[in-house]
């Protein structure tokens, strides 16, 4: 049986922040896959509303991912210099920021949809816009799939100047 008293005091907060990091990653990925499946020209009200909701969930999970990542660097990881001295860490952060930057386009598009939706009107989505959004989501998904590889290497010190 697991004895809670035998677990060192710092372990549970570390595990908790790591869990938030993984959970928010999964929610981000799931939301992006759903968004990718939903995107189509001239969606009906239900589909357009679901896309707006999915994007909000994605945004909140991306924020939780960032905050939990920063907390791991600062307080719950292997010491901040273990990460900041590793170029793979900066590639990871850069890929996250690039994906985040790319997602501004779909997000702004959905915010513009939310306005007519509130008045009960359907957004006008051309085939060209649907294709563009689909491609942006494809690239975001590829970026998200690459980040855990950078993370697992970085966590094991690969890329550190002395490694
Ligand atoms: C700027 C944002 C991020 C920061 C600052 C950050 C920071 C960190 C830190 C400090 C660790 C702990 C490494 C260790 O155990 O020593 C970690 C682990 C991890 N991160 Fe992130 N992270 C960020 C974004 C992401 C994203 C976007 C993903 C996924 C798409 C991700 C996936 C992972 C995974 C899978 C691990 C576990 C690695 C392992 O233990 O093998 N992180 N991250």
């Amino acid at each position: 049986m697991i004895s809670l008293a035998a677990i060192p005091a710092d372990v549970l907060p570390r595990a908790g922040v790591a869990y938030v990091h993984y959970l928010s990653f999964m929610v981000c990925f799931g939301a992006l896959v759903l968004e990718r499946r939903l995107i189509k020209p001239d969606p009906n009200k239900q589909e357009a509303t679901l896309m707006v909701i999915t994007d909000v969930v994605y945004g909140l999970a991306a924020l939780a991912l960032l905050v939990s990542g920063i907390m791991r660097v600062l307080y719950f990881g292997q010491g901040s210099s273990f990460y900041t001295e590793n170029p793979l860490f900066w590639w990871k952060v850069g890929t996250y920021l690039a994906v985040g930057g790319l997602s501004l386009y779909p997000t702004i598009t959905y915010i513009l949809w939310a306005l007519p939706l509130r008045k009960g009107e359907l957004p006008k989505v051309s085939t060209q816009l649907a294709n563009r959004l689909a491609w942006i989501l494809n690239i975001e998904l590829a970026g998200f799939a690459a980040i855990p590889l950078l993370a697992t290497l970085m966590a094991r010190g690969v890329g550190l100047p002395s490694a």
Side-chain angles (χ1 to χ4, degrees), residues 24 26-39 45-63 103 106-107 110-111 113-114 117 137 140-141:
S24 45
M26 286 190 285
V27 173
C28 275
F29 204 83
L32 283 180
V33 170
L34 184 59
E35 247 180 85
R36 178 64 187 83
R37 294 284 298 152
L38 285 169
I39 186 77
K45 186 166 187 261
Q46 203 188 6
E47 289 160 342
T49 309
L50 191 55
M51 286 185 71
V52 173
I53 293 171
T54 311
D55 200 59
V56 171
V57 171
Y58 166 69
L60 292 175
L63 187 64
S103 67
T107 297
Y110 302 146
I111 290 171
W113 290 4
L117 275 172
L137 290 166
E140 285 184 55
L141 281 166

Side-chain angles (χ1 to χ4, degrees), residues 72-75 77-85 89:
R72 290 183 89 179
V73 171
L74 295 179
Y75 311 112
Q78 306 182 51
S80 52
S81 59
F82 179 79
Y83 307 110
T84 54
E85 285 171 14
F89 169 75

Side-chain angles (χ1 to χ4, degrees):
M1 214 181 80
I2 302 170
S3 154
L4 281 180
I7 301 174
D10 66 324
V11 167
L12 289 182
R14 287 160 73 97
V17 175
Y19 172 66
V20 172
H21 202 58
Y22 301 136
L23 186 67
S24 45
F25 165 45
M26 286 190 285
V27 173
C28 275
F29 204 83
L32 283 180
V33 170
L34 184 59
E35 247 180 85
R36 178 64 187 83
R37 294 284 298 152
L38 285 169
I39 186 77
K40 63 192 256 248
D42 296 327
N44 63 32
K45 186 166 187 261
Q46 203 188 6
E47 289 160 342
T49 309
L50 191 55
M51 286 185 71
V52 173
I53 293 171
T54 311
D55 200 59
V56 171
V57 171
Y58 166 69
L60 292 175
L63 187 64
L65 186 59
L66 176 66
V67 171
S68 58
I70 292 173
M71 287 183 62
R72 290 183 89 179
V73 171
L74 295 179
Y75 311 112
F76 299 102
Q78 306 182 51
S80 52
S81 59
F82 179 79
Y83 307 110
T84 54
E85 285 171 14
N86 190 336
L88 282 183
F89 169 75
W90 294 109
W91 274 99
K92 182 183 172 190
V93 173
T95 311
Y96 173 87
L97 293 178
V99 169
L102 262 183
S103 67
L104 283 179
Y105 183 77
T107 297
I108 291 168
T109 308
Y110 302 146
I111 290 171
L112 295 176
W113 290 4
L115 302 173
L117 275 172
R118 283 177 70 137
K119 290 190 226 146
E121 293 165 21
L122 285 178
K124 289 179 184 52
V125 184
S126 63
T127 310
Q128 206 186 14
L129 176 60
N131 285 342
R132 196 179 307 142
L133 288 170
W135 267 104
I136 290 176
L137 290 166
N138 287 347
I139 298 169
E140 285 184 55
L141 281 166
F144 258 99
I147 293 176
L149 177 61
L150 296 170
T152 52
L153 293 172
M154 161 202 97
R156 283 149 191 86
V158 177
L160 277 173
S162 56

